[in-house]
Amino acid sequence: MANKRQYQKELEQTIEGLRRRKSLLLHSCCAPCSSFVLEYLRQYFAITVYYYNPNITDREEYEKRVQEEKRLIQAFVSEHPEYPISFLEGPFEPERFFQIAEGKEDCPEGGERCFACYGLRLAESVKVAEEMGFDYITTTLSISPLKNADKLNEIGEQLCQGKQVTYLTSDFKKKNGYKRSVELSQEYELYRQDYCGCVYSKREAEQRKDR
């Protein structure tokens, strides 16, 4: 049996090997998930946060998360101007999510529908990262205990094969990363939703409340 990869250790080794701050396109799903990741990586990378989440099909919810992301970035940069962070918003295109979710509507959260969603968001992020000449790309998604870090890293690495951009392997929930994101969310009074974003995860969250 092959040894399980230690993505956090791999990330630390990559950081140790940096000779200068590299550019990083950080795909973000929301401000709470990006909070610890930005705090952690900003001293090692010149970060641009890329908000691309077609799984969030409710426009009001989508815009609310965009504004919270911008507010957090502004607060971080105001407190530490030596670590500038840029923001890039992707297109609002829920039709792409519904296309990849077709036939997987009843899959439980964390299953095949989510894996297809990872692929959709990461593929677009890798495309943008390569077009804009970033050194690295990664996603905040691995900070969630509900997200499969193995699958996220597998998809990210596959998408970057043959590309000029490198996938930064990660499992940000490790070493109290998720715990720290909760603390930062409270500190900055961030809007913290109780579901991932799609209509199916929202339905599951509502069903859990009714039990």
Side-chain angles (χ1 to χ4, degrees):
M1 182 177 177
N3 291 330
K4 182 176 173 61
R5 288 178 65 179
Q6 302 295 319
Y7 296 111
Q8 177 59 29
K9 190 171 184 179
E10 290 181 18
L11 173 59
E12 291 170 356
Q13 290 172 343
T14 297
I15 288 172
E16 288 175 4
L18 295 177
R19 296 294 176 264
R20 60 180 177 83
R21 291 177 77 227
K22 299 283 190 175
S23 59
L24 169 69
L25 187 74
L26 176 65
H27 167 264
S28 175
C29 55
C30 62
C33 285
S34 68
S35 59
F36 165 72
V37 181
L38 289 172
E39 181 185 63
Y40 174 36
L41 295 182
R42 62 187 173 186
Q43 61 184 308
Y44 307 112
F45 297 93
I47 301 174
T48 294
V49 172
Y50 183 51
Y51 184 89
Y52 177 70
N53 298 289
N55 58 310
I56 306 172
T57 57
D58 179 85
R59 188 73 192 229
E60 184 178 353
E61 177 71 18
Y62 180 92
E63 294 295 343
K64 192 169 186 177
R65 296 192 193 196
V66 168
Q67 294 309 314
E68 282 296 89
E69 187 73 63
K70 289 180 177 179
R71 185 170 70 86
L72 176 66
I73 291 171
Q74 185 177 27
F76 270 20
V77 173
S78 176
E79 293 168 2
H80 292 280
E82 69 274 24
Y83 300 130
I85 300 168
S86 301
F87 177 79
L88 178 63
E89 182 180 349
F92 177 71
E93 44 188 16
E95 66 279 1
R96 293 191 67 188
F97 170 74
F98 285 124
Q99 287 172 0
I100 62 98
E102 187 174 357
K104 305 179 184 69
E105 294 88 347
D106 295 325
C107 289
E109 187 167 1
E112 291 301 319
R113 186 186 65 246
C114 291
F115 296 165
C117 185
Y118 298 168
L120 172 61
R121 290 189 275 180
L122 283 173
E124 185 67 20
S125 299
V126 169
K127 177 184 174 183
V128 170
E130 186 172 47
E131 288 176 349
M132 297 184 68
F134 282 85
D135 298 310
Y136 289 91
I137 186 245
T138 195
T139 178
T140 64
L141 288 169
S142 71
I143 200 166
S144 169
L146 299 176
K147 299 295 185 292
N148 187 315
D150 290 320
K151 183 59 69 171
L152 284 164
N153 285 291
E154 174 189 320
I155 292 171
E157 289 184 321
Q158 288 177 349
L159 288 168
C160 286
Q161 286 182 1
K163 303 290 197 306
Q164 295 299 309
V165 63
T166 300
Y167 191 77
L168 189 68
T169 57
S170 62
D171 191 357
F172 292 117
K173 71 178 72 67
K174 297 294 186 180
K175 295 193 173 180
N176 292 319
Y178 176 71
K179 179 175 180 289
R180 179 58 179 157
S181 75
V182 174
E183 293 171 350
L184 287 167
S185 295
Q186 294 172 343
E187 181 180 339
Y188 290 93
E189 298 181 341
L190 297 176
Y191 163 62
R192 191 177 184 88
Q193 62 287 342
D194 60 357
Y195 67 101
C196 178
C198 78
V199 292
Y200 311 113
S201 64
K202 184 176 183 180
R203 181 181 64 192
E204 282 192 40
E206 290 171 345
Q207 289 172 345
R208 287 194 295 269
K209 288 179 182 178
D210 293 337
R211 288 172 189 164

